[in-house]
Structure formats: C-alpha cells, structure tokens
Amino acid sequence: MQALNFPPQDWQLSLKHLVTEPAQLFDLLQLPSELLPAAERAAKLFPLRVPREFIALMQPGDINDPLLRQVLPLEQEFDESPGFVEDPLSEAAARPVPGVVHKYKDRVLLILSGACAINCRYCFRRHFPYSDNQISGSSRLQALDYIRQDTHLREVILSGGDPLATPDGRLEALIQEVEEIPHIERLRIHTRLPVVIPSRVTDRLSNALGQSHLSTLMVLHINHPQEISMELSLACEHLRDAGVTLLNQAVLLRGINDRVEIQVELSRKLFKTGILPYYLFLFDPVKGASHFDIPEPDAQRIAALMQVELPGYLMPRLAKEIPARSSKTLILPNF
Ligand code: SF4
C-alpha cells in the first residue's frame, strides 16, 4: 500500500498530486482487483481525479465506502438510460456570452474554471464544454460587461468546474472588478474544493472575501457526514471569522446518502461546523450516472422522515431544477 502523504499544506501541491489512475486508487485503498478493468474503462468516459486528503477519509478495503462511491468509475456508466442526457439542465440555452450562465432574474453564474480537484461521477456538468465556456482573457471582459448592463442583477455566483481551483491573485482581481459594478450586492462561491483539500482556505482567500464590501457567501457541496473532517471544520471557522456566510447543498445519491439517519447526521454535523443546510437536490439526469438516481416519491419520504427528526432550521429544502423555470422547484416532503 502506498503512503497517502497527508496532510500537504499547499493546496496547489495537493492538486499536482491527485490520484488519477484507477490502479493507484485500488492500491491505496486495497480494493478488489477484479473491479479494476471496469474502473479503467469507465475512467476513459470521465477521468478519475481524487485528492489524497479525500482518500484519507475513506475506509480501506470497503468498496461501499460512501466517499469512494462518489469517485469510483463503474461499469454502470456505460448504461444507456432513457432521459439521461449530456446537458440535463439545458444550460446550452442559458449561456448569453462565453463563461456566463444566466437562468434566474437577480443572479448570474460565472464559469471561472473548468478544473475540479475531484471528479464526482454524478456531476451534472461531466459533459460540459468547458474549453470554450469559461471566463479568461477577452471573455472575462465580455462577461463583466454583460453583468454591468443588466441592472436587475444583484448577485454574482462563481462556479465551474470549481471556482476555487483559480489562484488567489486571480480571484482577488475578479472580486475587485465585480465590486466596481454598482448594482451587485452579493458574491457567492459554489465549491467542493475546501471539502476535498481543506488547505485551499488560505488566509489570503479568507481576507479577500472578508474584506470585500459585497456580502460574501460560500456554498459547500458536502453529501455525507464522513466528508466533514477536523481540517474542514478549522477551515470553516476561519471563513466564518472573516465574515463569510456558509451554506451547504447536497445531492441525494443512491447508495451514498439515501438513508434518513445519514441525512439527519449530515444536517447536525453541518450545524456543528457552522454551515447551514440549504438545498437537498434530486439527482439531475446526466448521461453515465443513472445508477445514482432516486425516484421523487422516495426522496419525498426521506425528507418527511428527516422533518420528524430535525428542527426547521436544519432541514435543507428538497428541490430539483427544471430547465427554463424561473427558479428552483421545491418538492414537498411526503410519506
Ligand atoms: S463541478 Fe462539483 S460535482 Fe462536478 S466534478 Fe467538480 S466538484 Fe464534482
């Protein structure tokens, strides 16, 4: 078994040492070798990428580990399932200029980076054409101009890929440019990077967010309580001390977090970490990931049972995204 070499303190070094070969992942976690050929085939559909810090949170030898299942390429990714498509949220129709996704009236999303620290097998953007749809060079100016001209906008959301794959200096420059747009009041970052590489929360990042005159929010993507490490808790404390509001959104995933007790524990642990549960999303039907899907009535039942266990402020909103609707669609819990 190879050493996990944890914890490197330089997040960019961690990004350079991601595990990208299925054989290496199998070796590190002592996984059954008969599953390796399928993992290697499926990794050709969507590459394997997983930080060593995240692997350190997995249980060696457990092929059903809920963190491993989020990154393990499987034979099922070749299944052809009706309704599972490459662009499940029809984002191609919501891109007015390169690198901008504009779906809702008062907020707009900037695709800051096509890179992620981790490739989640269920990602609804696993087929997204990042190469010509992220903001860089002249497209950055075009994107900022678009935001400047739409005075309905109040919030800029940095997304990706993972926007925190962008170095701090570039982020600082972008935040300053957004701050200069008079009608923008809020800056939101959607990220999974601090979860999988907690050292990504640098002093420079916290200061840039904390010192901005915009209200700053970070929406973390945590699907299972086992993802909340001590290092992540410290990183969150740092962000909160700087004045950043922390929220979480999770996706309901078959075989990973589709049990009531896991969702209840997740909400409780998030709160202890200073993060409020925000959304629990139904799975977006992306091609290659239908094995994660959970029927809506099952999701409603899970949410109804969560409501019995949790106070209202720890109950994430069960929701799904329907292309072309003017907001997320809330789903009522139901037995
Ligand atoms: S965009 Fe988010 S869900 Fe998709 S692969 Fe990157 S980190 Fe995972």
Side-chain angles (χ1 to χ4, degrees):
M1 184 178 170
Q2 296 177 23
L4 282 171
N5 202 15
F6 176 75
Q9 285 305 304
D10 178 344
W11 67 275
Q12 284 172 312
L13 206 59
S14 294
L15 279 184
K16 281 198 184 112
H17 292 102
L18 297 179
V19 171
T20 55
E21 293 298 330
Q24 199 183 7
L25 182 70
F26 274 61
D27 184 29
L28 285 168
L29 289 170
Q30 303 153 41
L31 300 176
S33 55
E34 59 270 23
L35 297 175
L36 181 57
E40 285 178 330
R41 277 196 300 279
K44 291 198 172 74
L45 291 177
F46 185 46
L48 175 78
R49 278 170 79 82
V50 50
R52 287 161 190 270
E53 290 87 334
F54 198 64
I55 295 173
L57 302 175
M58 299 174 189
Q59 188 62 40
D62 182 3
I63 194 71
N64 292 317
D65 182 279
L67 276 52
L68 173 66
R69 299 303 283 199
Q70 295 181 53
V71 298
L72 182 67
L74 293 174
E75 190 69 42
Q76 286 106 303
E77 293 182 34
F78 289 93
D79 291 352
E80 288 289 337
S81 305
F84 286 76
V85 295
E86 293 198 351
D87 180 12
L89 303 184
S90 302
E91 288 191 326
R95 294 198 295 259
V97 296
V100 173
V101 179
H102 192 182
K103 301 179 197 171
Y104 305 132
K105 190 172 176 185
D106 89 332
R107 49 215 183 272
V108 69
L109 203 135
L110 295 184
I111 302 289
L112 203 51
S113 161
C116 286
I118 186 166
N119 275 354
C120 311
R121 308 312 295 177
Y122 50 82
C123 181
F124 75 88
R125 291 205 183 117
R126 59 183 275 166
H127 307 282
F128 191 88
Y130 285 114
S131 52
D132 48 357
N133 276 297
Q134 50 183 294
I135 59 165
S136 59
S138 61
S139 65
R140 195 184 95 257
L141 298 179
Q142 206 184 351
L144 288 165
D145 224 33
Y146 179 84
I147 298 170
R148 231 172 261 122
Q149 282 172 22
D150 186 344
T151 53
H152 291 110
L153 292 173
R154 293 290 176 274
E155 180 168 357
V156 170
I157 303 171
L158 305 186
S159 184
D162 199 310
L164 290 189
T166 308
D168 287 337
R170 209 181 134 213
L171 275 173
E172 283 171 343
L174 181 71
I175 292 170
Q176 275 175 15
E177 286 171 309
V178 173
E179 280 175 332
E180 284 165 13
I181 303 176
H183 48 274
I184 297 300
E185 298 166 0
R186 307 184 300 270
L187 179 81
R188 188 189 334 167
I189 298 180
H190 275 249
T191 179
R192 192 152 159 73
L193 228 152
V195 183
V196 300
I197 304 178
S199 60
R200 175 63 191 94
V201 180
T202 58
D203 289 343
R204 192 170 171 184
L205 174 68
S206 302
N207 290 341
L209 296 176
Q211 288 167 9
S212 172
H213 73 72
L214 301 170
S215 300
T216 51
L217 301 94
M218 190 176 284
V219 181
L220 295 156
H221 296 190
I222 303 172
N223 293 316
H224 192 282
Q226 194 177 315
E227 293 173 43
I228 304 177
S229 62
M230 180 57 70
E231 290 77 12
L232 174 62
S233 300
L234 292 172
C236 288
E237 197 178 316
H238 206 48
L239 288 164
R240 278 199 329 275
D241 287 350
V244 181
T245 299
L246 299 179
L247 304 172
N248 186 62
Q249 70 175 43
V251 187
L252 203 48
L253 298 165
R254 175 174 302 285
I256 291 171
N257 60 8
D258 55 340
R259 295 211 323 268
V260 178
E261 58 273 27
I262 292 173
Q263 287 296 335
V264 168
E265 190 191 344
L266 176 60
S267 278
R268 289 180 179 152
K269 210 165 165 185
L270 285 169
F271 188 66
K272 268 193 190 161
T273 314
I275 309 167
L276 274 178
Y278 171 39
Y279 274 127
L280 177 59
F281 281 114
L282 294 192
F283 187 72
D284 297 314
V286 63
K287 184 177 177 182
S290 59
H291 52 290
F292 288 114
D293 190 32
I294 294 179
E296 192 169 313
D298 293 0
Q300 288 178 291
R301 197 184 127 270
I302 291 168
L305 291 167
M306 286 168 67
Q307 257 183 347
V308 174
E309 301 290 329
L310 292 167
Y313 60 91
L314 290 191
M315 198 51 214
R317 274 168 278 187
L318 184 66
K320 68 178 172 185
E321 187 166 334
I322 298 176
R325 285 242 175 126
S326 56
S327 67
K328 300 276 189 290
T329 302
L330 296 183
I331 314 283
L332 288 178
N334 190 13
F335 285 106

